[in-house]
Amino acid sequence: MKEEKVFKDPVHKYIYVQDAVIWELINTREFQRLRRIRQLGTSFFTFHGAEHSRFSHSLGVYEITRKIISQFERNHYPDWPKEERLLALCAALLHDVGHGPFSHSVEEVFGTSHEIWTCAIILGDTEVGEVLRRLSPDFPEKVAQVIEKKYSPQIVVSLVSSQLDADRMDYLLRDAYFTGVNYGTFDLERILRVTRPHQGHIVIKESGMHAVEDYLMSRYQMYWQVYFHPVTRSSEIILRKILLRAKRLYEQEYKFQFLIHPLARLFVNDLTVEDYVQLDESFMQLVFTQWSMEEDVILSDLCRRFLNRKLFKYVTLEQIDEERIEQLRCEMRAAGADPDYYLELDFASDLPYDVYRPGDADEKKLPILLLNEKDELVEISLRSEIVRSISGIHLGRHHLYYPGDVMGELKL
């Protein structure tokens, strides 16, 4: 570009756009839509500052990727394929362009995936697709292959999707900043300085191991303190119940007082790309406001709970007592509430670091490799006691969610 464009950013200070195609992609309607999709879904109910968008996160992932590639090129590392620079930057920028409203809740109810929609937007008759095709007719397909983790060389995929990637590094720092917690902070600049391309992999100099340990511990803490916060899980449960109830009502031919396009297509999983890009959180908030006045008691009540933050209470379960839970379901029916919509057993779990095993197909499981002074690659858990202690163990807790105004205080 004739003149470098700059975004002021609270996490990275500045985000630099030097390529015309990146600037054009940012200004497409599909990418601008991400301003209306919150990065953390319903976490704003728990952390009132968590109003940041997928738009700002996507710019951040692009910026971290740009910094990594710039460092590779400045140091003339032979193992970095220079011809892949623009592809990596486009994939980093567009990796979340297919996200729907309220993060993953819509995906769970309707059995879809933001990655599928991301590729559909990239490959479709869209402004994003038009910009990419101007580079070359097959360029959208290459970007989609990176998103799908099928592109070769695999080093390009690793920049955007791995256990130490630009996506995770940005969302940890950004989510920590906007939620006001310190758990997600780590030394990004140190990690960038010790990142290397080597034998087709993204690796870390062994001297930078402690910075990676800090990053992995930050991820561990953020999942338990922010992403899996039980209040946030409560709001996500109510959101899913709203969508599930509306879907079932539609299947039963219920006469909605308010049903605008493309909701009917959403209920039958028949959305086009054009339909999908109309779905954002402003749209869904309007729908929920209208549904709060529907004649169906369950749908209207759930919508009012969501809009007014009247969330379900919860109790933590050390072990599952199926008989007691069934008894609670009967008690809830007797109290006039349908347990299918008002009682939920939830289990949140995370694997902070997954030790790669031969045969694993998921690039996100590919190991974090350390490069020692002898130019040998060593998987990080073989060197780090900290990483070894958090590897391979699914940590989780069971919570039982219920409406306190219906059931009072539960003691199990």
Side-chain angles (χ1 to χ4, degrees):
M1 291 189 355
K2 291 182 179 179
E3 181 180 345
E4 183 178 71
K5 303 290 185 180
V6 179
F7 288 86
K8 193 76 175 70
D9 186 74
V11 175
H12 304 299
K13 305 307 178 188
Y14 291 97
I15 292 172
Y16 299 92
V17 178
Q18 301 154 334
D19 301 278
V21 65
I22 298 297
W23 182 245
E24 291 171 5
L25 287 171
I26 290 171
N27 285 291
T28 59
R29 66 184 290 245
E30 294 86 17
F31 193 82
Q32 289 293 317
R33 166 183 169 273
L34 296 181
R35 294 182 184 271
R36 306 188 298 278
I37 306 288
R38 289 185 183 91
Q39 171 67 16
L40 282 183
T42 63
S43 290
F44 65 93
F45 282 123
T46 310
F47 303 93
H48 66 268
E51 296 280 354
H52 56 302
S53 67
R54 293 273 172 189
F55 179 91
S56 61
H57 165 62
S58 296
L59 289 179
V61 177
Y62 154 81
E63 178 62 13
I64 291 176
T65 304
R66 188 195 66 78
K67 285 181 177 178
I68 293 172
I69 293 174
S70 178
Q71 190 249 127
F72 290 173
E73 293 180 344
R74 283 197 312 273
N75 290 282
H76 305 289
Y77 293 128
D79 287 341
W80 168 247
K82 294 180 180 179
E83 68 278 5
E84 306 289 5
R85 171 185 172 276
L86 201 54
L87 174 61
L89 293 178
C90 289
L93 182 72
L94 298 174
H95 78 287
D96 269 355
V97 75
H99 256 288
F102 299 115
S103 194
H104 301 282
S105 297
V106 173
E107 297 178 22
E108 292 180 25
V109 173
F110 297 100
T112 185
S113 161
H114 70 274
E115 290 183 345
I116 291 174
W117 285 108
T118 293
C119 292
I121 290 170
I122 289 169
L123 296 171
D125 183 17
T126 60
E127 292 182 13
V128 164
E130 180 184 350
V131 170
L132 295 175
R133 283 189 292 273
R134 288 204 292 266
L135 292 174
S136 70
D138 64 342
F139 200 78
E141 181 62 37
K142 290 181 179 180
V143 176
Q145 287 176 356
V146 176
I147 302 297
E148 294 173 321
K149 310 174 190 66
K150 297 177 180 178
Y151 188 75
S152 182
Q154 185 263 335
I155 193 171
V156 180
V157 176
S158 296
L159 280 175
V160 183
S161 182
S162 67
Q163 295 199 77
L164 183 63
D165 59 26
D167 180 23
R168 294 186 181 191
M169 287 190 278
D170 181 80
Y171 75 61
L172 289 176
L173 293 172
R174 192 169 300 277
D175 295 349
Y177 178 90
F178 282 100
T179 54
V181 305
N182 293 321
Y183 314 113
T185 57
F186 59 91
D187 192 346
L188 174 64
E189 295 304 318
R190 175 64 176 158
I191 290 178
L192 297 184
R193 283 199 301 273
V194 296
T195 300
R196 300 285 186 273
H198 184 78
Q199 297 179 359
H201 300 284
I202 299 292
V203 303
I204 302 293
K205 283 182 63 178
E206 191 166 24
S207 60
M209 181 183 73
H210 299 299
V212 178
E213 289 175 337
D214 189 30
Y215 153 83
L216 289 173
M217 287 304 299
S218 294
R219 185 178 184 276
Y220 169 83
Q221 294 284 5
M222 283 293 286
Y223 267 82
W224 286 114
Q225 301 298 329
V226 176
Y227 306 136
F228 290 160
H229 194 290
V231 174
T232 300
R233 300 287 284 191
S234 178
S235 60
E236 290 173 348
I237 287 168
I238 292 178
L239 175 59
R240 290 199 300 271
K241 298 297 187 183
I242 290 171
L243 298 172
L244 181 62
R245 181 61 177 174
K247 184 172 185 288
R248 287 180 179 173
L249 288 173
Y250 184 82
E251 291 168 349
Q252 295 166 7
E253 299 184 351
Y254 170 82
K255 301 300 182 184
F256 286 88
Q257 296 179 38
F258 184 83
L259 189 67
I260 59 174
H261 183 80
L263 287 174
R265 288 187 175 180
L266 174 65
F267 293 149
V268 296
N269 294 332
D270 190 33
L271 292 175
T272 65
V273 171
E274 179 60 30
D275 294 332
Y276 188 78
V277 297
Q278 294 181 45
L279 296 177
D280 58 33
E281 290 179 17
S282 300
F283 178 93
M284 296 307 296
Q285 291 278 13
L286 170 63
V287 170
F288 294 163
T289 300
Q290 295 299 314
W291 282 354
S292 70
M293 296 177 281
E294 281 287 344
E295 292 181 2
D296 182 77
V297 175
I298 294 175
L299 181 62
S300 60
D301 177 65
L302 290 172
C303 286
R304 284 194 295 270
R305 289 178 184 274
F306 185 81
L307 292 169
N308 301 317
R309 199 186 178 276
K310 306 298 182 183
L311 306 180
F312 292 166
K313 291 188 174 183
Y314 64 91
V315 290
T316 303
L317 304 181
E318 298 301 328
Q319 57 185 11
I320 306 301
D321 185 341
E322 297 288 354
E323 289 186 8
R324 176 58 178 144
I325 292 175
E326 184 56 38
Q327 181 183 0
L328 287 173
R329 290 177 63 87
C330 293
E331 292 174 6
M332 184 167 283
R333 286 193 191 95
D338 187 337
D340 288 347
Y341 296 100
Y342 289 94
L343 192 68
E344 179 81 1
L345 181 62
D346 181 62
F347 181 72
S349 67
D350 178 50
L351 192 60
Y353 177 70
D354 197 357
V355 178
Y356 175 78
R357 293 169 178 79
D360 282 348
D362 187 354
E363 281 77 2
K364 282 187 178 290
K365 289 186 178 181
L366 292 180
I368 297 175
L369 298 174
L370 302 177
L371 181 66
N372 65 23
E373 294 180 352
K374 298 179 181 179
D375 271 358
E376 298 170 332
L377 294 178
V378 183
E379 196 271 320
I380 190 171
S381 68
L382 299 177
R383 287 284 187 269
S384 168
E385 294 276 356
I386 292 175
V387 175
R388 201 154 48 242
S389 70
I390 62 174
S391 298
I393 301 175
H394 281 279
L395 303 173
R397 299 186 185 96
H398 283 96
H399 291 106
L400 186 67
Y401 288 87
Y402 66 96
D405 55 316
V406 175
M407 301 297 291
E409 292 289 337
L410 288 186
K411 294 183 179 179
L412 299 178

